[in-house]
Structure formats: C-alpha cells, structure tokens
Amino acid sequence: MDSWDEVRTAYHVARVGTVSGAADVLGVHHATVIRHIDALEERLGVKLFQRHARGYTTTEAGEDLLRVAQATDDQFSQLSGRIKGRGHDVSGELVVTSLGGLSHLLVPVLSDFQREYPGIIVRFLTGERLFRLEYGEAHVAIRAGRAPDQPDNVVQPFFQQKYTLYASRVYIDRHGLPSSETEFDSHYFVSADDPKNRAPFNQWLRDTAPEERIVFRSQDVHAQRRAISAGAGIGFVPSVLARDIEGLVEVLPPRDEWTAPLWLVTHMDLHRTTKVQAFLSFLKDRAKSWDTL
C-alpha cells in the first residue's frame, strides 16, 4: 500500500457514510475524497463502496478495509495521546473526563489547577460515553460505581460521594414530607430516566417508590436537580452540593447504601508523567475538604 492518506479517506467515508461528511472531518475538498476513493479502488481492483443517492455504503471488501483502517487509526491516536502526555513540565493539554454530575466538584479544582500552572490548557469531557484512556482520549478519568477493570489502567479509590433524599420548601408546602418509605405512595419523586441506571441511590428509589409516583425523569442530572428545587418531587442530591442549593430540606438521613464510590483512573503509560502526577496530587489534596463543605 503506497498511500495511507487514501486508506484514511476511505475509512472516514465508511464511518460517516458521505463524501461531504468525510471531507469536513479531513479538512479537504470533496473532490479530493472522491479522487482518493477512485485511486484506492483502482489500485486494489475491487469496489469498496456502493454509491447511492443518500451516500456511500461499504461492500464486503470495504468492510475488510474498514476494520484494518480503524485499528491503524486507533493505534495512531493512542500513540499521539501518549506522546502528548510525556513532558517533563506541567504544560500543554490536560484532558480530564467524568460524568457531568461531578462538575460542581471538579470545575473549581480544574480552574485552580490551571491558575497554578498557566501553561496548562484544560479540557473537561463529560457524558455517558466511556472515553478510552488506552487510545489517548483522556489523561485522567473520574468514574463512579464499581471499580473499573479495563486492562493497563491504574485505578485508585478516590472519594465516597454521599447522596441523600431532598425536597424543596415549595414541595413541602404543597405535599408535606414522608416520615418513612411507608408513605412514599402519597408523594412524588424525581429520578434518572433509565431504569437500568446503576447508581445505588437510583436503584434504591426504583425499588422503593411506586413507579407511577416517579413523575419527573431525566438523564440530565442538572435537570433533575432543578426539578427537585422547583418542587416537582423528592429526589437524591449529593450532600456536598445540597448545602449550596437554597431551600432544600433533607427528607431522610443519609445511608451507606446510597453512597457512590468515585475512582481515579489513568493509563499506565501516562500515570507517572509529571503533568498527570501534578494534577492527581492537586486533586486529592482539594478533595480532603469536600466532606467538610
């Protein structure tokens, strides 16, 4: 194979399904994309794509090429991520990923870390997707739930985030408060939309409250918290955050079974780099005060 550019172009066409989409990703003219595909098909002597009005779909030969190209592209991304993390100074990009619901804890730390090290550019990636450290997608991941078990990762216990049921004064004025779970069938609740959500407090609420009483459901934790504050229902809020939200009242005392463990995860190739170690130390030091906020 003489040209990786042509293979890479074919990979992106297969991935997005259109010439124009691949051109946007690659930052080239759509004519360049077509020229690369034509040249590659001519060199291999097979059709890699079926052309149709809505775009391109891969043939069987195209699927074979896609698998090889994707593996190669992943390896390049992995190499790039590792190289970027190997400095002896604390500078360049620091990519940290977590669930969006942890932003109230992590954003102040990230902001202060950047102020401490002006050469750092912080990228904070949130969402449900599991960013792959082995491919250099992030330097540090903060994950919740069971201890991550991906190979080649360094996993450290980090913080036990306590959750408690809260209601707003608006809700209390309308409906009062339950004295125990036995009164849940006469109250309303806010929870995650996904019934398979693995957070221990969400599982407990699904098992304890009547399903029809969970009247506000969202995968956006910020929307859940706004709904609780607005009086839509009773719901779980991290204890360290609830103290900063005016008008919230604790419904039931905290329980160990509602606690969500957090883990620090780094890839073994980047774990000992100066930048990653500096951030881990900074984060752990700041986290010591979270229980007393």
Side-chain angles (χ1 to χ4, degrees):
M1 189 61 59
D2 295 329
S3 177
W4 164 245
D5 286 342
E6 292 170 2
V7 176
R8 184 165 174 258
T9 297
Y11 163 61
H12 284 289
V13 171
R15 189 173 62 84
V16 301
T18 64
V19 167
S20 58
D24 288 342
V25 171
L26 295 167
V28 299
H29 194 274
H30 72 274
T32 301
V33 174
I34 294 173
R35 185 170 65 252
H36 282 181
I37 296 299
D38 290 344
L40 188 58
E41 288 183 332
E42 183 178 354
R43 182 177 292 113
L44 295 174
V46 294
K47 284 292 183 184
L48 299 173
F49 297 96
Q50 294 289 344
R51 281 78 164 170
H52 51 81
R54 291 181 297 174
Y56 282 36
T57 56
T58 52
T59 62
E60 186 175 350
E63 285 294 323
D64 286 342
L65 180 72
L66 175 61
R67 282 190 288 271
V68 173
Q70 183 168 9
T72 305
D73 193 67
D74 284 346
Q75 289 172 348
F76 273 124
S77 297
Q78 180 181 3
L79 176 63
S80 175
R82 291 176 181 175
I83 290 173
K84 287 179 181 178
R86 280 181 183 154
H88 293 295
D89 57 348
V90 185
S91 63
E93 281 191 351
L94 174 70
V95 185
V96 178
T97 176
S98 80
L99 293 171
L102 299 176
S103 60
H104 64 286
L105 293 174
L106 296 177
V107 167
V109 177
L110 289 166
S111 178
D112 289 346
F113 184 73
Q114 197 283 325
R115 190 178 301 112
E116 182 81 13
Y117 298 97
I120 282 288
I121 297 172
V122 171
R123 293 183 61 212
F124 183 40
L125 310 180
T126 62
E128 297 294 326
R129 182 170 83 83
L130 201 65
F131 291 92
R132 298 181 299 179
L133 303 185
E134 68 271 23
Y135 292 137
E137 291 186 332
H139 296 102
V140 178
I142 296 93
R143 294 178 179 161
R146 297 175 183 172
D149 58 0
Q150 291 82 13
D152 299 330
N153 284 344
V154 179
V155 179
Q156 304 174 70
F158 176 42
F159 182 70
Q160 296 287 322
Q161 182 159 228
K162 297 176 182 177
Y163 281 80
T164 305
L165 276 174
Y166 289 91
S168 70
R169 297 195 182 279
V170 174
Y171 178 89
I172 295 169
D173 290 343
R174 293 173 182 165
H175 307 287
L177 283 178
S179 59
S180 70
E181 298 99 295
T182 60
E183 298 179 7
F184 276 13
D185 57 358
S186 60
H187 285 272
Y188 302 99
F189 296 90
V190 175
S191 183
D193 188 44
D194 182 3
K196 296 180 180 179
N197 186 291
R198 295 185 298 173
F201 50 89
N202 280 325
Q203 292 179 340
W204 181 89
L205 187 59
R206 289 276 181 178
D207 292 339
T208 307
E211 183 178 358
E212 68 275 10
R213 306 302 288 187
I214 303 176
V215 297
F216 190 101
R217 309 177 187 191
S218 175
Q219 284 305 96
D220 184 340
V221 294
H222 303 292
Q224 293 174 37
R225 292 166 190 170
R226 290 293 297 271
I228 295 166
S229 294
I234 298 168
F236 280 99
V237 180
S239 300
V240 295
L241 177 61
R243 300 162 193 166
D244 296 329
I245 301 177
E246 186 176 354
L248 288 189
V249 175
E250 185 178 285
V251 176
L252 296 176
R255 300 181 185 179
D256 289 342
E257 64 187 298
W258 298 338
T259 298
L262 301 181
W263 307 88
L264 287 175
V265 188
T266 53
H267 192 270
M268 59 186 300
D269 288 345
L270 297 179
H271 178 71
R272 291 295 178 188
T273 59
T274 305
K275 176 167 55 182
V276 169
Q277 284 297 309
F279 176 67
L280 291 177
S281 297
F282 191 91
L283 177 59
K284 290 174 183 177
D285 185 64
R286 285 289 297 270
K288 292 175 183 176
S289 66
W290 290 349
D291 269 329
T292 60
L293 289 175

